[in-house]
Each structure stands twice: as structure tokens, then as C-alpha cells.
Amino acid sequence: MDLTDQPTALLPGDVRMPLLGFGTWQATGQAGYDAVLAALDTGYRHLDTATVYGNEREVGRAVRESGLRREDVFITTKLPPNQVGRERQTLEASLEALGVDHLDLWLIHWPPRSPADSIPLWRELIAARDENLTRAIGVSNYSTAQIDELIQSTEENPAVNQIEWSPALYDRQRHAEHRDRGVVLEGYSPFKTSDLSDPVLVRIAAAHGVSPAQVVLRWHIDHEIVAIPKSVTPERITANFDVFHFSLTAEEMRDIDALGEG
């Protein structure tokens, strides 16, 4: 399945971001390289890493050795907020480690400790995008108020906000706030806060002949929320990608939403 065959979110600048990505947190060294290569072989075309993960070099090597063209893999990395004032050096180090000349998405990993740093930091990301060092820019772990501050100060909306998300954390208002601002919601740790033995997930999984974990990922996709499950186990990497042959009904979506609204 090529990038063009997968469901995507449209980011500013006509950038297409696959709704299913591969998370690489804690996937380091040879095991990290093997996991990313397995993910690319399986069909994933969206990789999520970060400066602090310490695995950009392994991710880049896997992309090169996969045989895929650079333009067929969507690569995200993240800037640590303590790199205020060293944004460009950090970006150049990420590009060098990944072995690429541009990112597809660069995120501020967490809001900076000092609120006074927030706007200057965001302006550095805008500059990097304008110089074609990254195709899109965004944030991670930001509140709606923090996003609004960026928009009001620069008239530049983050393309993405990556936050912890799962059915148990579903927040209809927060979801709507992102949509209203044209910010794509990207969820991390989809299974960490999910009770995969929940009767609702088990029932819906049985109806489709899939696992509860696959239902959780499909729920993200049907909400047009980006999901980035992570695993270093080949079988699980494959299973997490096998979610394109079914979709959830409106009633099933409402039942899963209710897990976070109870």
C-alpha cells in the first residue's frame, strides 16, 4: 500500500499526512532500526521520532535501506523546548542524523517552561518552513489556549497538535476545538490508556473479526485523527497496520466515544 493509497489528513501547503503512523519512542539501537524497517516493509509510510528519542540515525538508516523514495515516507521529528535559541542547530542536527534535506513535519515537543519563549520559538519554526527545511510545522502537548496564543501572535496556525489520545480520553469539545482552528489532532499512546478488555471494544472487535487494538486504531482513523502506535514486535507491527479493510458504523463510533465521556 503506497502513501497515495492510505487515508491522509491534509495539512497547509497541500501536504498529505498519513492517518496511521509508526511511533518510535523507546525504539533505539538495532532493535529500533529493525522495527522501523519492519514497519516500512509492512506498509507504514509515516514515521514519528524526536530529538530526545535518540534514534533519528536509526530511523534515517531504515528509510534509506528500505528502498523507498524519500518523497514516499512522511517523517516527523520534534524539537525539545529547552533548545530555545538553538532551534536551527537542533534542526540541522536532526536533518543530518536522519540523512535527509528536509522534514515533512517539525513539532515543538512540549510548551517551553517560560511562556515568554513560546512566540520566539514558534517564529523559528515558521522561518524553517519558509526556507523549505520542513514542509509543515506544529506542536505537541499544547492546550487550546496555548495554540490560540500562537495563532493570535503570528497568524500562523500549527498544522498539527500531537497529544495523548485514546477512546478513554475522548473529549468531544477538545476535538472540535482543533477542527475549528484547522489543526490536525494527532494522538499518541493509543493503547496505554485503553482498556482493551472493555466489553464495548471486545463486542465491536468481534463484529468485525478484528482485535480490540485494531478497533482503537480504526476509531482514530474514522475520526480523521492521526494515530501513531509503537511496537518493536513484528507481529504487532503488522497487526496494527491491518486496519484498512473495515470501518466502524456511526453507532459503533458513538459507543466508543462514550468510553471517554462517562
Side-chain angles (χ1 to χ4, degrees):
M1 179 180 278
D2 289 329
L3 181 57
T4 52
D5 299 327
Q6 298 182 24
T8 56
L10 182 61
L11 309 185
D14 203 30
V15 175
R16 292 263 169 202
M17 179 185 193
L19 288 176
L20 183 62
F22 185 72
T24 67
W25 181 52
Q26 296 181 321
T28 56
Q30 186 65 35
Y33 163 79
D34 290 342
V36 174
L37 194 58
L40 293 170
D41 285 346
T42 297
Y44 292 85
R45 294 295 178 262
H46 168 187
L47 303 175
D48 181 88
T49 182
T51 294
V52 298
Y53 295 175
N55 62 7
E56 289 172 321
R57 209 162 290 281
E58 289 88 346
V59 170
R61 183 160 69 94
V63 171
R64 286 192 301 280
E65 296 183 8
S66 70
L68 294 166
R69 300 178 305 169
R70 167 67 186 93
E71 59 265 33
D72 291 334
V73 184
F74 187 100
I75 300 174
T76 300
T77 193
K78 308 182 199 76
L79 171 78
N82 64 0
Q83 295 298 83
V84 171
R86 297 188 295 275
E87 298 88 355
R88 185 55 59 95
Q89 297 95 309
T90 307
L91 175 55
E92 288 171 353
S94 287
L95 294 173
E96 190 274 328
L98 288 161
V100 298
D101 63 4
H102 70 278
L103 303 174
D104 295 290
L105 179 63
W106 196 29
L107 303 178
I108 302 171
H109 206 152
W110 292 87
R113 192 164 294 148
S114 169
D117 290 332
S118 188
I119 302 306
L121 186 58
W122 182 234
R123 289 193 190 281
E124 287 296 324
L125 268 74
I126 294 169
R129 184 207 58 202
D130 290 348
E131 292 174 43
N132 299 315
L133 296 172
T134 181
R135 297 170 68 215
I137 52 175
V139 295
S140 182
N141 301 299
Y142 272 56
S143 67
T144 301
Q146 288 167 327
I147 289 172
D148 283 344
E149 183 191 8
L150 301 184
I151 296 170
Q152 287 157 11
S153 297
T154 66
E155 296 186 348
E156 289 276 4
N157 298 36
V160 171
N161 185 24
Q162 185 184 117
I163 58 177
E164 192 170 28
W165 197 258
S166 72
L169 298 177
Y170 184 67
D171 181 332
R172 186 181 304 276
Q173 180 179 343
R174 193 148 192 225
H175 187 196
E177 287 168 352
H178 283 77
R179 202 166 45 236
D180 292 346
R181 288 157 179 78
V183 178
V184 170
L185 199 162
E186 178 176 16
Y188 66 81
S189 299
F191 306 135
K192 185 178 169 187
T193 54
S194 292
D195 176 6
L196 296 178
S197 63
D198 186 284
V200 171
L201 297 178
V202 170
R203 167 176 57 80
I204 294 171
H208 293 278
V210 298
S211 71
Q214 288 169 315
V215 168
V216 168
L217 294 177
R218 188 70 222 190
W219 171 82
H220 282 72
I221 291 167
D222 286 347
H223 264 314
E224 297 185 338
I225 293 169
V226 180
I228 45 171
K230 64 183 181 65
S231 177
V232 293
T233 310
E235 297 78 15
R236 196 163 297 150
I237 290 170
T238 301
N240 287 344
F241 189 74
D242 187 21
V243 293
F244 297 112
H245 62 287
F246 74 102
S247 59
L248 302 174
T249 66
E251 183 179 5
E252 289 169 340
M253 291 291 286
R254 284 195 296 272
D255 289 347
I256 297 171
D257 291 352
L259 297 177
E261 298 180 325

